[in-house]
């Protein structure tokens, strides 16, 4: 049975969904959600996990029912990593398997860097690039501009943020419900049930908004698209100005990694529809200076290059690409996803 509860850690009062294990196998799994979401997205996966796994899905700071504490973007993803390591302390878990979806994939890579001894394995589910979101090019994440223009809080659609803040439950274009239907999953192959959609929309609308939360503040830039990262909030925390996870490849050795993604993902992609450079290339954002100055970010290529370096350093990295699947493989292809995850956990 899945039980919601509040856990008081040394850093944060953290709301979790917990699925206890049957028996004493000692297998423990921490599930970390992505941006504009929450632990509720993992409800069905928690139900489906093997009975001998003790699983916990927290709401990250800034999301769900967890305590609202601001995010210091200059630390990259470390506020969340530190929160989760403190949660492990409160649970009495010395080590765990870690699963991270989208932004959560970056958070668990950061946790592996911060405390490698506490990470038994990693499962990246449509994980973000090791160089964050926006403003870089090439497999090694070279910045497009010295001030990292094209990333950070100013790149997020202000109308969408306002809709989240207002608790908008409409199906108007650009509303949270519309974004959920069109981008969180591949609408050509997957339609949520009404119950799923309402639960997931509730989680999206639980996102705290503002300069300290989502999307964060911004700095003006002389470089297209005229915004650079600020120092606070979510989108700045995963700006390449503050986020660089390339050291993961140099752990000795890196923990084993399963990477599962869909080939129809339009959020984390080499042609992401949420990257202003890609939107500029498509003519959707005016003034784009061209691919020689501001190329779209090759997010998938960047993560693949990092994992290849990790494997060359003794790590074990497996990539699984699910056809027709969008940004939420564990939701859109639950059978295939669970089989891959179970195999990974059984062998690590």
């Amino acid at each position: 049975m899945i039980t919601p509860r509040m856990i008081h850690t040394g850093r944060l009062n953290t709301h979790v969904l917990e699925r206890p294990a049957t028996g004493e196998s000692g297998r423990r799994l921490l599930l970390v959600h992505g941006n504009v979401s929450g632990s509720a997205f993992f409800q069905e996966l928690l139900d489906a996990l093997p009975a001998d796994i003790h699983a916990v899905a927290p709401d990250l700071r800034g999301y769900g029912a967890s305590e609202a504490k601001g995010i210091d973007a200059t630390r990259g993803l470390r506020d969340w990593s530190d929160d989760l390591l403190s949660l492990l302390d409160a649970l009495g878990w010395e080590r765990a398997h870690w699963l991270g979806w989208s932004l959560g994939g970056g958070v668990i890579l950061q946790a592996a860097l911060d405390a490698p001894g506490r990470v038994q394995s990693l499962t990246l589910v449509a994980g973000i690039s090791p160089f964050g979101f926006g403003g870089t090019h090439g497999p090694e994440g070279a910045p497009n501009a010295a001030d990292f223009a094209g990333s950070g809080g100013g790149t997020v659609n202000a109308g969408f943020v306002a809709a989240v803040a207002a608790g908008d439950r409409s199906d108007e274009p650009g509303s949270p419900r519309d974004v959920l239907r069109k981008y969180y999953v591949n609408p050509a192959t997957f339609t949520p049930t009404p119950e799923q959609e309402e639960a997931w929309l509730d989680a999206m609308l639980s996102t705290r908004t503002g300069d300290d939360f989502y999307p964060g503040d911004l700095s003006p830039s002389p470089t297209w698209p005229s915004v650079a990262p600020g120092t606070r909030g979510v989108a700045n925390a995963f700006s390449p100005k503050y986020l660089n996870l390339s050291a993961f490849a140099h752990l000795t050795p890196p923990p084993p990694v399963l990477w599962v993604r869909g080939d129809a993902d339009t959020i984390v992609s080499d042609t992401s529809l949420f990257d202003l450079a890609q939107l500029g290339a498509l003519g959707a954002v005016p003034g784009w200076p061209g691919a020689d100055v501001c190329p779209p970010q090759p997010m998938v290529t960047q993560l693949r290059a990092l994992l290849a370096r990790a494997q060359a350093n003794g790590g074990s990295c497996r990539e699984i690409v699910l056809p027709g699947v969008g940004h939420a493989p564990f939701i859109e292809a639950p059978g295939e996803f669970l089989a891959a995850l179970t195999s990974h956990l059984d062998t690590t």
Side-chain angles (χ1 to χ4, degrees):
M1 176 181 293
I2 297 171
T3 303
R5 68 177 176 123
M6 191 71 75
I7 297 178
H8 304 286
T9 78
R11 288 177 53 82
L12 192 76
N13 294 326
T14 302
H15 177 264
V16 307
L17 297 180
E18 184 171 22
R19 207 295 305 270
T22 299
E24 298 294 334
S25 78
R27 293 209 291 178
R28 292 158 172 170
L29 176 64
L30 190 71
L31 301 95
V32 184
H33 66 79
N35 191 19
V36 194
S37 64
S39 60
F41 277 83
F42 290 129
Q43 179 85 34
E44 292 171 27
L45 177 58
L46 287 167
D47 276 328
L49 288 170
D52 68 322
I53 295 175
H54 185 178
V56 170
D59 290 328
L60 296 173
R61 74 164 58 199
Y63 302 90
S66 289
E67 182 180 1
K69 286 189 175 181
I71 297 150
D72 179 356
T74 66
R75 303 188 72 232
L77 306 182
R78 290 181 182 88
D79 271 355
W80 291 306
S81 171
D82 287 349
D83 290 344
L84 294 177
L85 291 168
S86 184
L87 175 61
L88 257 61
D89 291 340
L91 290 166
W93 292 6
E94 182 60 33
R95 300 177 74 212
H97 299 279
W98 296 59
L99 180 152
W101 173 37
S102 193
L103 169 61
V107 172
I108 68 172
L109 284 169
Q110 183 67 62
L113 284 171
D114 295 341
R118 308 197 72 175
V119 176
Q120 190 166 346
S121 76
L122 298 177
T123 299
L124 306 177
V125 187
I128 62 170
S129 161
F131 309 107
F133 208 98
T136 66
H137 64 272
E140 305 305 320
N144 291 345
D147 63 357
F148 296 90
S151 69
T155 66
V156 178
N157 185 299
F160 178 73
V161 176
V164 170
D168 181 0
R169 305 189 74 91
S170 75
D171 58 2
E172 293 297 313
S175 68
R177 188 185 301 274
D178 183 58
V179 170
L180 170 63
R181 290 174 174 175
K182 290 180 178 176
Y183 302 108
Y184 279 40
V185 297
N186 178 8
T189 57
F190 181 85
T191 302
T193 67
E195 293 77 16
Q196 286 174 323
E197 185 168 291
E198 294 308 312
W200 298 339
L201 184 61
D202 285 344
M204 294 174 70
L205 296 177
S206 75
T207 303
R208 272 54 164 218
T209 59
D211 286 351
D212 285 319
F213 298 104
Y214 175 74
D217 61 349
L218 61 86
S219 299
S221 173
T223 305
W224 188 90
S226 301
V227 290
T231 61
R232 299 148 59 199
V234 173
N236 295 309
F238 59 72
S239 162
K241 181 173 183 179
Y242 308 115
L243 178 62
N244 185 330
L245 301 171
S246 59
F248 175 79
H250 305 299
L251 294 176
T252 53
V257 177
L258 171 66
W259 175 24
V260 184
R261 64 181 185 88
D263 69 356
D265 189 346
T266 56
I267 296 179
V268 176
S269 166
D270 283 359
T271 54
S272 171
L273 295 180
F274 291 75
D275 177 9
L276 287 187
Q278 175 64 20
L279 293 174
L282 295 173
V285 178
W288 182 59
D292 55 334
V293 175
C294 189
Q297 181 185 9
M299 302 176 187
V300 170
T301 296
Q302 290 172 346
L303 181 53
R304 185 180 293 121
L306 173 69
L307 297 182
R309 293 194 299 273
Q311 186 152 318
N313 192 35
S316 169
C317 303
R318 182 185 181 201
E319 177 184 358
I320 295 178
V321 183
L322 299 175
V325 168
H327 191 57
F330 60 98
I331 288 170
E332 299 171 73
E336 296 94 324
F337 181 83
L338 184 62
L341 175 62
T342 301
S343 176
H344 178 59
L345 298 180
D346 285 345
T347 56
T348 56

